[in-house]
């Protein structure tokens, strides 16, 4: 049975779900938040220590302002309403990606990170304005200023994910099989699960099924 420490998720399909069920992409994002709460709760039950959620990519800036503003407002409201609960449940929140949102949201994110920094049950990495290529370029620029040879360890130390173990598995919902600039370095040896269901439809049973499949995989890491 494979141990499982870190699950990464590309939460895709909110827009399509919203259009189909509520005639509004934005209401799909709102519905997707319930699945976020589900996966946090279930990951704690399964004793997973790191959960990384792709919430907004560096490419998502291309979307219309009305959708971006809705998403950022949703996040603001969530943080204001749920910070106490995150703390009660001993959840640590970390943002991966550059915080270049409104002053209010930037402050709120920093505040949530500092208020939860000593929590130990699970670490939620929220990938926000995250792009793997931007992250690698950021790491390389930092390394350029240091002496000596570049090594894998040094690259790891300069990524946003420093101190976070590589994901054991990646789940992408929404019936799309691509990585969309997510954790390209860190996913080098992760098991990848592409799920047909749209994110708001993804439930605890679907999650458990994937985890059980993962546990039975023979992970070779190049060996036999
Ligand atoms: C993913 O759902 C969530 C974000 C990118 C914020 P989408 O909004 O991409 O949903 P689809 O893929 O258009 O259905
Ligand atoms: C990936 O989904 C980003 C997030 C889930 C935040 P997208 O829906 O943006 O991916 P593409 O553009 O279809 O590849
Ligand atoms: Mg999408």
């Amino acid at each position: 049975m494979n141990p499982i420490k870190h699950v990464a998720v590309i939460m895709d399909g909110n827009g399509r779900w919203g259009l189909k069920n509520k005639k509004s992409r934005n209401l799909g994002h709102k519905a997707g938040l319930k699945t976020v709460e589900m996966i946090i709760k279930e990951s704690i039950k399964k004793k997973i220590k790191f959960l990384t959620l792709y919430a907004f990519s560096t490419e998502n800036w291309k979307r219309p302002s009305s959708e971006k503003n809705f998403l950022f407002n949703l996040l603001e409201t969530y943080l204001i309403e749920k910070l106490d609960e995150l703390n009660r449940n001993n959840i640590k929140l970390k943002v991966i990606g550059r915080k270049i949102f409104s002053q209010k949201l930037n402050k709120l994110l920093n505040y949530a990170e500092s208020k939860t920094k000593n929590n130990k049950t699970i670490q939620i990495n929220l990938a926000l304005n995250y792009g793997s290529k931007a992250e690698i370029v950021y790491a390389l620029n930092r390394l350029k200023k240091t002496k000596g040879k570049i090594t894998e360890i040094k690259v790891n130390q300069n990524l946003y994910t420093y101190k976070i173990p590589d994901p054991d598995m990646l789940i992408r919902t929404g019936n799309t099989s691509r990585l969309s600039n997510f954790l390209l370095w860190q996913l080098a040896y992760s098991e990848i699960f592409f799920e047909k269901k749209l994110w708001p439809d993804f439930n605890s049973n679907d999650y458990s099924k994937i985890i059980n499949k993962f546990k039975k995989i023979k992970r070779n890491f190049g060996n036999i």
Side-chain angles (χ1 to χ4, degrees):
M1 287 282 217
N2 293 316
I4 178 157
K5 232 188 198 165
H6 184 177
V7 174
V9 187
I10 302 178
M11 312 184 286
D12 196 22
N14 288 348
R16 279 165 284 164
W17 188 95
L19 281 181
K20 193 174 130 214
N21 294 285
K22 308 271 179 191
K23 297 192 174 65
S24 143
R25 288 183 54 85
N26 285 346
L27 292 179
H29 292 306
K30 196 170 168 206
L33 207 50
K34 297 224 165 60
T35 311
V36 171
E37 301 211 293
M38 176 284 287
I39 202 160
I40 294 174
K41 202 169 115 210
E42 294 302 314
S43 299
I44 293 172
K45 273 197 207 158
K46 295 178 198 302
K47 306 220 175 344
I48 288 161
K49 293 312 250 182
F50 298 89
L51 175 67
T52 301
L53 302 173
Y54 204 4
F56 194 84
S57 74
T58 46
E59 287 71 34
N60 288 147
W61 292 105
K62 292 173 192 159
R63 296 190 181 197
S65 294
S66 55
E67 182 163 338
K68 289 183 285 187
N69 290 335
F70 186 90
L71 276 167
F72 300 148
N73 281 326
L74 201 62
L75 180 60
E76 258 178 42
T77 313
Y78 179 83
L79 289 172
I80 292 167
E81 284 178 1
K82 301 284 175 165
L83 186 57
D84 284 345
E85 196 180 315
L86 291 177
N87 265 320
R88 271 202 306 280
N89 292 321
N90 206 17
I91 296 169
K92 174 174 174 175
L93 192 75
K94 181 181 163 61
V95 174
I96 58 169
R98 263 192 333 125
K99 297 184 198 87
I100 50 161
F101 310 102
S102 68
Q103 213 184 23
K104 185 178 175 202
L105 183 53
N106 295 341
K107 267 194 180 168
L108 210 52
L109 289 166
N110 286 331
Y111 183 70
E113 282 185 303
S114 78
K115 280 281 168 192
T116 62
K117 72 172 190 294
N118 295 319
N119 292 345
K120 298 274 183 283
T121 299
I122 191 169
Q123 175 169 332
I124 311 286
N125 305 306
L126 202 55
L128 269 182
N129 182 30
Y130 175 85
S132 190
K133 290 192 175 181
E135 180 190 28
I136 291 168
V137 169
Y138 163 85
L140 294 178
N141 274 311
R142 280 168 49 124
L143 282 167
K144 216 170 99 179
K145 295 181 195 138
T146 64
K147 285 193 185 130
K149 258 191 170 174
I150 292 176
T151 61
E152 279 189 28
I153 292 171
K154 285 189 192 169
V155 174
N156 276 320
Q157 286 170 341
N158 286 281
L159 294 170
Y160 304 146
T161 51
Y162 177 44
K163 290 190 175 161
I164 301 169
D166 286 344
D168 297 293
M169 62 191 296
L170 169 75
I171 302 171
R172 181 178 187 141
T173 59
N175 200 21
T176 304
S177 313
R178 57 177 171 251
L179 293 179
S180 303
N181 202 11
F182 190 47
L183 301 174
L184 302 178
W185 171 279
Q186 297 88 337
L187 292 172
Y189 250 113
S190 311
E191 306 299 329
I192 300 184
F193 297 85
F194 293 111
E195 161 72 42
K196 285 206 170 69
K197 279 194 184 177
L198 305 172
W199 179 247
D201 287 330
F202 188 69
N203 61 38
S204 57
N205 197 26
D206 302 319
Y207 188 34
S208 290
K209 273 193 204 154
I210 293 177
I211 298 274
N212 289 336
K213 246 195 212 168
F214 165 85
K215 285 186 176 162
K216 292 182 194 136
I217 292 172
K218 185 166 175 282
R219 302 187 78 192
N220 290 342
F221 298 103
N223 209 330
I224 51 170

